[in-house]
Amino acid sequence: MRLNKAELNTLATNPATRFDKEGLLIITDRQEGFLWRSSEVRVERWCKLRGNLLFYLKDKDPKSAVAGLLVLENCRARIPNEQPEPEGYVFDIDFKDSTSERFIVRSSAERLAWVQCIEEASSERLNLLIRQLKDQIEAQSRRTNAATTMGNHIDLGTPLEQQVQEQLQLHDAPAEDSTAAPLEEAAPSEELDLSELPICETALSCDSLPLDSLGRAPNPQVVCSLLPAPGEDCLWREHARTELQERTRSPQFLCTMRFQRSAGFSAGTRLRFSVFDVRERLTLTTLPLGHADVTLGVIQDTSRLRLPLASPRGECGFITLASWSPDAAVEPGQAGNGPPRSSTQLFDASGSGSGAGAAAAGGTSSSRRAHRRTQSLPPKLGVRLFVPQQCGLQRVCCNPRLRTYRLNSSLGADISVQETLLESRLCCQLPQQLLSIWIQREKELLQEISGMGELSGEWRWRQMNLLEEHLRLLKDYSQAKQNIQQLARDGVAFKRSAAKADEALEFLPVNLHVQRMWAQNDTMQRRGLLDVVTVGAFTRHDAKGRKCGGLIKLLQESKSWKLEQSNACKVQAANDAVQATKQLRKEIVELMSQLLQLASRRSSKDMMPLCNQMVARTRTLLNIWEPSIVEEAVAFIERHRIIEEPENVLMEPMSPFRKITQQLTALELKSPELEDFATPVVAPPDLWPRGQPPLMRSNSWHPSNSSPSSSLDIRAIDSLQHVVKCYNDHLRSLEQGGHARQAEEEEATYQSLPLAWHSQSQAPLEATTSAPGPEPAAAPSVLQLIDLDEIGRRAQRQQHQQPPAGFLDTKLMSSSPSANYYRPTEEPEPLDLTQLNIEASVMCLVSKLKFFCGRCDSPAIRLRHPKAPIKREGFAVAPQQAPDVIAAPAAAKQAPNLGLDLQPSTAFGSGAVPVPVKKGNKFTDGLDLSMTTDWAAELRPSMRKLRHAMDRLLKTARLMHSVQRLQQDMRCNRIQASIMYRRDVCFSQALTALVSSLMLRLWGSELDMGYLVMLRDLGPLAYFEGLLTLYGNEADMWSDMCIAIEDLSAVSFQLVRAQGDAAMAPTPRITGSRQALEVQLPVPEHSLPGNGTSISFKITPVFFNIGINEKASFAETLGQTKEQHRSNWDNYLRLSQYFGRYRKLGLGSVDAGESLQSLLGFMEQQLRSNVSKNVKILHLAEDACRLMDGLRFTSCKSAKDRTGMAVTLEQCRVLVREFQLPAKHVPYVLSTMRSEGTRMDNVLKNIGKRKYAFNRTQVSFLPAMYRPPVGSYGKAQT
């Protein structure tokens, strides 16, 4: 235990100190003798007991110096013998973890008195007495219902809500330390309503506080406590506290206190303002100086109230309360119903109040007009309370924490500051949507691999390898989604920093919060908002602390690996071509949907532009794939696929591969379509016909179950993955060599389904499997194998019920007219035939459209041109400018006309013979415009044929992709899968933070037309500020953040109107694929222009990182910051290019443009200078982002400690630059925000302590502006 020797000596020797017990005691003392011999002597000393401190002096003199001290904790006084001994009456003090101490007194009564005082001195005894007193007070309060009330501004007849009573009861729980949280912290279930007007807001100051015994000024801090309404209890509960000021007798506190009705306050609520002297900041050792009691009604009725502080020693100074009440006056022109609602609500306290309130304040209304700093100001000076308009902030954020301040500007005016910390409601919603997209993608890849059929030789082992890898990813994604769903059901809206290494929640951003500062300078007539999203680094944390180099290193290694593999580029090109086919097919279907709507209204005017777009996209679609590559892939399938002879179908058992693929998913993997284009799905034949009715899966498509399963059975996926791994190990052992007889026996072991699916009565998707042993390849006979056919026969025999499903089944979707995959036994359709069907359908559709538009004499169009027989390697897909933009180089080279070809066509397709031109065409012959009433019915058959033809093209594309992946090195597949998973984790965190910031901007503040124009023409700037260190594990985090932020530039955003219930809980919707994501952002209905135009945009992300802790010094010494400098420079160039486009569009004012130009010039100088921990780069980027109305993000490892220092510094910089806060006040304001502001609340929410995780050495390495105040940091979990 650390004790202050000087303080203890002053306490023991001060004549004014009143001790609980004093007297002479004979103490056994140990003295060192000759040759290290110690002896025990008994010395009579004067002893003093104060609390749990027992002082013993040097001799019998009560005024002698202090010789020692005993702390009476974890001890017990004991009388060993009632009879006196020769020296006197003995008693012992037994300590729990140390030796006992013996004391001797002269009389039995004296001994009994000392023992009783020592037993009552411990804190445990005091806590027991306090609990007994509380019980007595509560019992007395139940019998007493009378209450004394003062003030008349608030109706006393309104009862407290039940939630408020629960909140007050929760707040009554004893705190672990003296820094108890405010009232709203004690009950997080009671969410604070930011739009609620406070009863009043009060600023505090003191004067004439007493000095201590050494003549030093106190370190004052004021704590406000409330006494709840009668009928609950009569215990003082802490409501709020001010900051700590050092060595002053007349403190002016910056923190203000708000009193709201929702927290249970009324005019009769009794308040106690207690002033404490904080003697030691680290342990928060405090001494009470005095207190003042008052009711809230008196504070509300009086603008300035000066009260004496009472204490047992008499008066010890004064406390002044300066209050602002919104009910004090009504704006001119307003009725008495309430204050005006505007972007800033203004309340003037200079008006007259009610008569009773004026009488209570002194009988005149002029006595209420005052100023909190001085009484020499004019008596009619208005005192104003400003409340920011929150718009729809709490529709997208929740669990707010609020702190308010009153600062003084350089001109003597008041600066009202409101600091708010909120959680994003989207923290758990957006990762679930992303995981659903990735789960769907893994199912598609599983479907592709099974669609190739069973292959022979080494290709079967490769095929099982791919199945195993995708099943593992499917299980991981599904498990992660299930964990997040459980967290969302529990009502948790953020991931604590202490759980950042929890793999179960790794897709959630760490400690995602919104930090909002609202400021108002009434003299300058200026107000503004500063929104910063604070979030932990976008990375995949390793629980064991292992390093992998981060995504940059992993992608570089993967790139070098691909250069060594000749087939790696083909795989990527095939994947891009599949995604391009899907995207083009989606766009064509959407255009057909619009054409169908126009046809139903017989609106021919708008049809031709849509028709032109459809023709252009169809041309691109037809030129994506090279016929030679398709022919090679088809030849590969024909050469290696195992064809089952028809006569042996019923005789031989089903192979292991076919039994495994029978369990592959039955999910809605259809093309995007309208119901007008859909064809009813009948019961399909089995993938592998066995001469009996096929099994129907409970999660398969069925007319009674048109929606896909909402969840997956994780245990079923895990079991099937284990079975695939067992079979894969068996195939690998066969490839490595073995006896033919043994191979045949082992193969026969796998001739039945390795999994038995059993259902429970209420959970059809639950699978109860007998798990294989840990060494299935060595001992495959331990598997419990049940044949699929036997399951079907048994299920049909028992109660005629459908058997439960495995989680995967391909046969339904494979036989659907809108299926996107080939069945394993289906022959691929020739590419030329597919292209011909697409071309014919489009020609027929376009001809009918031109006929309806009055152009019946126009000839049919042509979509393809003759091509030179040039043999090329790979796929004809151009390098992408962005991950979601895929172009066809063949179409680009030939530069086709995107409009309709209205000239007579001399060729149809490739190699057609020229024919004489005739008027009209065969597609419209026989149509009579006057007799055709239903245009949509005429167009729908051609549209349905076109969609089915595009589906067959996608089937072929996916088959080609599977072949290319199968021919790739298996090690490359594993490396790419691990990189993809890590990248998905980081991207999920980054996109969640970005969308939360966008929704905050769209709903949390007023939208003007200038901002919407900026979104439409340029897109917003997103500035990510990093405080990571390129040393140790944080170097990997920085690498992951670079890639995740870069991936955000490929995401498309679209604003949609939120109507009805969607406006009450706006939720973005994520669609698309991994390469082409689109996020639909709901906005208030009145914000978008009324012309019906949609606004789509992309963001421009920039990421600047500067390490500031002690590890940053090590990294700079070791020369490990070169990559950081290079990245910062690249992001500066991107920021400069964005500013160039911003200025060309004429956005912003002229002054802002000049300021931005100078800022960027100064930033370039700072980037070129080699300065250690050059945080000026971050500050300049902050200023540039604010001037261009960009989005702000601040990150460190956990977004708690370094982030808190950076955010508070940025807030003070904004107050200095825009609201005239004097520079000399910045250190004190900065210290107040860090010790008592919302960033400390964030620390408390994450680790349960109000301590930043810094030690003294780490603080010394931080830049001076980033150092926390003394007492606010210490040993804490990071």
Side-chain angles (χ1 to χ4, degrees):
M1 180 180 294
R2 297 174 56 190
L3 299 175
N4 192 319
K5 183 177 180 180
E7 293 285 347
L8 292 175
N9 189 51
T10 302
L11 177 64
T13 58
N14 190 356
T17 304
R18 294 193 296 180
F19 293 95
D20 302 327
K21 178 69 176 173
E22 292 186 81
L24 289 173
L25 290 176
I26 299 175
I27 300 177
T28 302
D29 195 4
R30 296 175 180 82
Q31 295 183 354
E32 298 296 332
F34 182 68
L35 294 178
W36 300 285
R37 294 181 180 177
S38 62
S39 60
E40 293 185 355
V41 296
R42 294 182 176 178
V43 182
E44 190 173 15
R45 302 176 184 272
W46 188 265
C47 297
K48 301 179 179 181
L49 178 63
R50 172 65 186 267
N52 61 349
L53 302 178
L54 178 60
F55 299 94
Y56 55 90
L57 309 186
K58 288 186 177 181
D59 50 33
K60 301 179 182 180
D61 187 5
K63 297 183 180 180
S64 60
V66 177
L69 168 70
L70 291 176
V71 181
L72 302 180
E73 291 294 338
N74 297 322
C75 64
R76 181 175 61 89
R78 176 176 56 88
I79 300 177
N81 189 5
E82 294 290 341
Q83 301 299 323
E85 295 187 4
E87 295 85 354
Y89 292 87
V90 179
F91 70 92
D92 296 336
I93 300 180
D94 298 331
F95 291 90
K96 182 179 180 181
D97 299 323
S98 60
T99 59
S100 301
E101 298 288 344
R102 171 156 292 190
F103 300 89
I104 303 175
V105 295
R106 298 300 184 187
S107 66
S108 175
E110 186 75 6
R111 178 177 64 176
L112 184 60
W114 275 106
V115 168
Q116 290 178 351
C117 291
I118 290 172
E119 287 180 348
E120 295 177 355
S122 64
S123 59
E124 182 180 356
R125 175 68 176 176
L126 291 176
N127 291 333
L128 178 61
L129 292 176
I130 291 173
R131 286 194 294 269
Q132 293 177 354
L133 289 174
K134 285 183 178 181
D135 295 339
Q136 295 176 12
I137 293 174
E138 290 176 357
Q140 182 67 22
S141 64
R142 295 189 190 100
R143 295 191 296 268
T144 305
N145 295 325
T148 303
T149 58
M150 298 180 64
N152 57 354
H153 268 292
I154 300 176
D155 185 10
L156 300 180
T158 305
L160 287 175
E161 297 290 341
Q162 181 66 26
Q163 294 179 349
V164 178
Q165 295 180 5
E166 295 175 358
Q167 181 182 14
L168 295 174
Q169 292 172 6
L170 286 173
H171 188 71
D172 188 37
E176 295 181 1
D177 52 13
S178 60
T179 58
L183 186 63
E184 61 268 19
E185 293 179 1
S189 58
E190 176 74 16
E191 184 169 325
L192 176 66
D193 186 6
L194 295 177
S195 62
E196 178 188 1
L197 298 179
I199 298 175
C200 65
E201 180 180 342
T202 303
L204 297 91
S205 61
C206 299
D207 61 275
S208 305
L209 296 180
L211 304 176
D212 63 3
S213 58
L214 300 179
R216 296 174 300 188
N219 301 323
Q221 186 180 34
V222 179
V223 176
C224 175
S225 304
L226 67 101
L227 194 64
E232 299 176 19
D233 53 42
C234 296
L235 302 177
W236 290 101
R237 300 195 185 101
E238 182 179 334
H239 167 60
R241 62 175 57 208
T242 65
E243 76 276 10
L244 170 65
Q245 293 201 7
E246 294 185 349
R247 300 305 174 194
T248 177
R249 299 184 63 190
S250 302
Q252 296 279 344
F253 297 103
L254 302 183
C255 294
T256 63
M257 299 179 183
R258 285 198 168 195
F259 306 97
Q260 295 183 317
R261 291 182 178 86
S262 62
F265 288 99
S266 64
T269 302
R270 293 183 59 189
L271 302 177
R272 170 171 290 181
F273 295 91
S274 305
V275 183
F276 293 92
D277 179 13
V278 182
R279 294 296 183 91
E280 208 277 317
R281 299 192 66 165
L282 290 177
T283 60
L284 295 177
T285 303
T286 60
L287 293 178
L289 296 179
H291 67 271
D293 295 349
V294 68
T295 58
L296 183 58
V298 174
I299 299 175
Q300 186 182 6
D301 290 338
T302 308
S303 296
R304 187 176 185 274
L305 184 64
R306 189 168 185 261
L307 301 172
L309 295 174
S311 71
R313 297 181 296 274
E315 292 188 2
C316 55
F318 299 88
I319 183 170
T320 302
L321 310 176
S323 302
W324 303 269
S325 175
D327 293 339
V330 180
E331 282 293 300
Q334 295 281 340
N337 298 331
R341 293 281 183 174
S342 61
S343 60
T344 299
Q345 301 175 18
L346 174 64
F347 308 104
D348 194 345
S350 60
S352 60
S354 61
T364 60
S365 61
S366 62
S367 63
R368 298 174 55 194
R369 303 186 182 99
H371 201 275
R372 73 179 180 92
R373 291 193 303 276
T374 177
Q375 293 181 344
S376 63
L377 294 175
K380 293 185 179 181
L381 179 66
V383 181
R384 297 180 174 183
L385 173 61
F386 298 96
V387 181
Q389 183 70 19
Q390 302 294 346
C391 299
L393 177 63
Q394 290 191 270
R395 298 185 185 182
V396 296
C397 298
C398 60
N399 299 332
R401 305 293 176 95
L402 182 66
R403 294 291 181 270
T404 54
Y405 312 92
R406 283 275 172 158
L407 314 178
N408 297 331
S409 70
S410 57
L411 298 179
D414 280 344
I415 304 176
S416 303
V417 179
Q418 181 173 310
E419 196 181 23
T420 313
L421 181 76
L422 304 105
E423 301 171 8
S424 174
R425 296 185 185 272
L426 307 177
C427 182
C428 294
Q429 297 177 5
L430 296 179
Q432 291 185 57
Q433 295 187 36
L434 284 173
L435 285 168
S436 298
I437 293 175
W438 297 331
I439 288 171
Q440 187 80 351
R441 177 58 179 163
E442 293 306 313
K443 295 173 186 174
E444 292 178 4
L445 293 175
L446 283 169
Q447 201 82 303
E448 285 183 13
I449 298 168
S450 62
M452 290 189 295
E454 185 176 5
L455 304 180
S456 60
E458 97 175 275
W459 303 111
R460 179 169 51 174
W461 169 72
R462 289 172 173 263
Q463 201 174 14
M464 297 305 297
N465 256 330
L466 290 177
L467 282 176
E468 178 188 349
E469 190 65 35
H470 290 301
L471 282 171
R472 182 185 64 81
L473 290 173
L474 180 62
K475 181 191 70 174
D476 292 342
Y477 288 136
S478 303
Q479 184 66 62
K481 182 179 179 181
Q482 182 176 330
N483 295 334
I484 296 174
Q485 287 174 342
Q486 180 61 42
L487 193 71
R489 284 193 293 268
D490 295 340
V492 180
F494 84 106
K495 177 182 174 182
R496 298 170 61 246
S497 64
K500 58 179 173 288
D502 187 1
E503 294 183 355
L505 304 174
E506 58 187 354
F507 286 90
L508 296 181
V510 177
N511 194 15
L512 175 63
H513 280 84
V514 172
Q515 178 82 16
R516 163 169 285 198
M517 184 191 72
W518 173 88
Q520 163 82 27
N521 189 325
D522 188 30
T523 303
M524 297 175 59
Q525 295 294 319
R526 184 180 183 88
R527 66 185 65 94
L529 281 174
L530 173 65
D531 288 333
V532 181
V533 174
T534 60
V535 61
F538 308 139
T539 185
R540 187 185 183 196
H541 295 274
D542 195 313
K544 298 182 180 179
R546 294 168 296 190
K547 293 184 61 178
C548 67
L551 279 174
I552 293 180
K553 181 180 179 182
L554 293 176
L555 290 174
Q556 290 175 348
E557 293 177 353
S558 175
K559 185 177 180 181
S560 62
W561 181 273
K562 288 180 180 179
L563 293 177
E564 298 175 1
Q565 302 294 325
S566 59
N567 199 50
C569 296
K570 292 184 178 181
V571 174
Q572 182 61 39
N575 180 63
D576 293 342
V578 170
Q579 300 304 321
T581 304
K582 291 172 61 178
Q583 183 67 22
L584 289 170
R585 184 193 57 170
K586 177 183 176 182
E587 294 174 0
I588 293 172
V589 171
E590 290 174 351
L591 289 172
M592 288 193 295
S593 172
Q594 298 177 28
L595 288 171
L596 206 60
Q597 294 176 3
L598 293 174
S600 62
R601 299 195 300 264
R602 301 173 64 92
S603 176
S604 60
K605 180 178 63 175
D606 301 326
M607 282 186 175
M608 293 314 298
L610 296 178
C611 185
N612 286 334
Q613 297 179 30
M614 185 182 66
V615 170
R617 284 166 173 76
T618 308
R619 282 199 180 103
T620 306
L621 183 66
L622 291 175
N623 289 280
I624 287 180
W625 291 93
E626 279 292 329
S628 59
I629 302 299
V630 176
E631 292 173 1
E632 292 177 5
V634 172
F636 174 85
I637 294 294
E638 293 176 350
R639 185 165 59 251
H640 297 288
R641 177 187 285 176
I642 297 177
I643 305 298
E644 195 174 48
E645 297 296 334
E647 59 272 12
N648 297 330
V649 167
L650 300 178
M651 301 298 295
E652 296 182 358
M654 187 179 291
S655 67
F657 172 82
R658 300 183 184 185
K659 289 184 178 293
I660 291 173
T661 54
Q662 277 284 23
Q663 299 300 323
L664 294 182
T665 191
L667 298 169
E668 297 287 341
L669 302 178
K670 296 182 181 180
S671 59
E673 60 189 2
L674 293 176
E675 294 182 359
D676 300 294
F677 307 146
T679 302
V681 181
V682 296
D686 200 344
L687 282 177
W688 308 97
R690 307 296 296 175
Q692 65 177 29
L695 296 181
M696 291 296 295
R697 307 299 178 187
S698 61
N699 62 337
S700 301
W701 188 94
H702 191 268
S704 61
N705 182 23
S706 59
S707 61
S709 302
S710 59
S711 62
L712 291 175
D713 191 344
I714 308 301
R715 290 181 296 174
I717 301 175
D718 183 65
S719 301
L720 184 56
Q721 180 202 357
H722 192 85
V723 171
V724 173
K725 185 178 184 301
C726 295
Y727 186 58
N728 195 18
D729 293 339
H730 162 68
L731 293 177
R732 188 181 296 108
S733 64
L734 294 181
E735 289 293 330
Q736 293 175 355
H739 300 289
R741 182 181 181 86
Q742 179 184 2
E744 292 177 0
E745 293 177 356
E746 292 179 353
E747 183 71 19
T749 307
Y750 287 93
Q751 291 301 320
S752 49
L753 184 68
L755 243 345
W757 308 99
H758 304 281
S759 67
Q760 299 178 0
S761 59
Q762 297 181 357
L765 287 180
E766 298 226 341
T768 323
T769 64
S770 48
E775 54 279 332
S781 59
V782 300
L783 295 175
Q784 296 184 5
L785 307 177
I786 301 176
D787 191 88
L788 179 65
D789 300 339
E790 181 62 26
I791 295 178
R793 287 190 291 268
R794 187 186 309 130
Q796 292 183 2
R797 286 195 301 264
Q798 296 177 359
Q799 300 178 0
H800 301 284
Q801 294 181 355
Q802 292 182 355
F807 67 96
L808 295 167
D809 186 356
T810 53
K811 55 182 182 289
L812 286 177
M813 283 310 305
S814 297
S815 60
S816 168
S818 59
N820 303 324
Y821 307 93
Y822 284 114
R823 286 183 294 175
T825 57
E826 188 177 357
E827 291 294 331
E829 183 180 90
L831 180 62
D832 289 341
L833 179 59
T834 304
Q835 292 177 336
L836 186 62
N837 289 331
I838 293 175
E839 191 172 15
S841 302
V842 172
M843 292 170 65
C844 179
L845 181 60
V846 170
S847 299
K848 291 180 180 180
L849 288 172
K850 289 193 294 185
F851 176 78
F852 292 144
C853 295
R855 301 183 183 182
C856 56
D857 295 335
S858 301
I861 63 168
R862 58 182 183 182
L863 296 177
R864 291 189 295 169
H865 300 272
K867 299 181 181 179
I870 301 177
K871 184 176 179 59
R872 288 182 289 178
E873 294 285 335
F875 295 90
V877 179
Q880 301 179 37
Q881 299 297 328
D884 61 333
V885 178
I886 301 177
K893 286 184 179 181
Q894 298 170 8
N897 181 17
L898 296 183
L900 288 176
D901 187 1
L902 302 180
Q903 299 298 324
S905 175
T906 59
F908 177 73
S910 58
V913 180
V915 295
V917 178
K918 69 176 182 178
K919 191 174 182 179
N921 60 70
K922 62 180 180 180
F923 300 110
T924 58
D925 291 344
L927 287 180
D928 188 354
L929 187 61
S930 61
M931 299 296 294
T932 304
T933 57
D934 190 355
W935 290 7
E938 293 291 337
L939 297 177
R940 192 175 288 110
S942 300
M943 291 181 175
R944 185 179 292 112
K945 291 179 181 178
L946 176 58
R947 193 188 60 77
H948 291 168
M950 290 190 296
D951 287 341
R952 289 192 292 272
L953 178 63
L954 183 59
K955 285 183 181 182
T956 304
R958 281 179 163 148
L959 186 63
M960 301 307 103
H961 179 227
S962 301
V963 171
Q964 296 296 335
R965 293 186 67 233
L966 198 66
Q967 295 175 350
Q968 187 176 229
D969 195 329
M970 290 294 103
R971 291 175 296 174
C972 188
N973 286 327
R974 286 192 294 269
I975 292 174
Q976 288 179 349
S978 63
I979 294 176
M980 181 188 66
Y981 187 85
R982 185 181 186 92
R983 196 169 185 173
D984 288 343
V985 169
C986 302
F987 179 75
S988 173
Q989 300 173 9
L991 184 64
T992 303
L994 175 63
V995 175
S996 299
S997 181
L998 285 168
M999 293 295 289
L1000 174 68
R1001 182 64 180 86
L1002 296 173
W1003 287 88
S1005 57
E1006 295 180 354
L1007 289 178
D1008 54 357
M1009 188 54 63
Y1011 188 77
L1012 295 178
V1013 170
M1014 188 266 287
L1015 290 181
R1016 182 193 63 195
D1017 299 339
L1018 182 61
L1021 175 71
Y1023 166 44
F1024 294 83
E1025 180 178 301
L1027 302 169
L1028 298 171
T1029 300
L1030 269 71
Y1031 182 86
N1033 291 334
E1034 289 194 16
D1036 295 355
M1037 300 179 190
W1038 172 84
S1039 176
D1040 292 342
M1041 279 198 71
C1042 290
I1043 299 300
I1045 293 172
E1046 187 70 25
D1047 289 344
L1048 294 176
S1049 60
V1051 182
S1052 300
F1053 297 90
Q1054 183 181 10
L1055 302 185
V1056 296
R1057 297 179 186 273
Q1059 300 176 350
D1061 295 338
M1064 301 306 298
T1067 303
R1069 183 169 176 263
I1070 304 177
T1071 58
S1073 61
R1074 189 179 271 110
Q1075 287 78 11
L1077 279 178
E1078 182 179 4
V1079 182
Q1080 296 179 356
L1081 302 174
V1083 295
E1085 185 177 3
H1086 59 82
S1087 300
L1088 288 180
N1091 53 9
T1093 58
S1094 61
I1095 297 178
S1096 300
F1097 61 90
K1098 292 186 178 182
I1099 68 157
T1100 302
V1102 292
F1103 175 44
F1104 292 96
N1105 183 85
I1106 298 293
I1108 61 173
N1109 62 359
E1110 76 284 358
K1111 294 183 179 180
S1113 303
F1114 303 156
E1116 291 175 353
T1117 304
L1118 299 175
Q1120 297 180 0
T1121 58
K1122 294 180 180 179
E1123 293 183 359
Q1124 173 183 286
H1125 295 325
R1126 190 181 305 114
S1127 174
N1128 288 344
W1129 181 257
D1130 293 340
N1131 283 276
Y1132 165 75
L1133 296 178
R1134 178 180 295 181
L1135 180 62
S1136 301
Q1137 294 172 2
Y1138 181 87
F1139 169 65
R1141 299 194 300 270
Y1142 184 88
R1143 185 171 53 180
K1144 286 182 180 179
L1145 291 175
L1147 301 174
S1149 62
V1150 178
D1151 294 339
E1154 295 176 355
S1155 300
L1156 282 167
Q1157 189 70 37
S1158 60
L1159 281 175
L1160 294 177
F1162 189 38
M1163 183 185 294
E1164 182 178 359
Q1165 296 177 10
Q1166 295 297 323
L1167 286 168
R1168 294 184 184 276
S1169 63
N1170 189 13
V1171 179
S1172 175
K1173 299 181 181 179
N1174 192 0
V1175 293
K1176 291 182 180 179
I1177 298 173
L1178 305 180
H1179 301 164
L1180 293 170
E1182 292 170 1
D1183 297 340
C1185 179
R1186 183 166 174 80
L1187 287 173
M1188 290 187 283
D1189 205 1
L1191 309 174
R1192 276 284 293 110
F1193 305 84
T1194 301
S1195 300
C1196 63
K1197 181 170 65 174
S1198 59
K1200 177 172 58 69
D1201 306 310
R1202 283 170 283 176
T1203 298
M1205 304 301 105
V1207 169
T1208 50
L1209 178 59
E1210 183 177 359
Q1211 291 179 169
C1212 287
R1213 292 180 62 252
V1214 171
L1215 292 174
V1216 170
R1217 188 175 62 253
E1218 301 183 17
F1219 298 92
Q1220 294 187 350
L1221 177 69
K1224 63 180 181 180
H1225 294 172
V1226 169
Y1228 179 53
V1229 175
L1230 200 57
S1231 175
T1232 301
M1233 288 184 173
R1234 289 172 177 172
S1235 60
E1236 302 296 333
T1238 56
R1239 295 315 303 177
M1240 186 60 77
D1241 295 337
N1242 180 265
V1243 174
L1244 181 65
K1245 290 173 62 177
N1246 279 277
I1247 63 175
K1249 297 180 180 179
R1250 300 181 69 89
K1251 294 287 185 182
Y1252 295 109
F1254 296 118
N1255 56 39
R1256 188 174 300 177
T1257 304
Q1258 292 172 332
V1259 170
S1260 64
F1261 277 95
L1262 293 174
M1265 296 177 291
Y1266 289 83
R1267 294 176 182 174
V1270 177
S1272 65
Y1273 60 89
K1275 184 178 181 181
Q1277 182 181 5
T1278 181

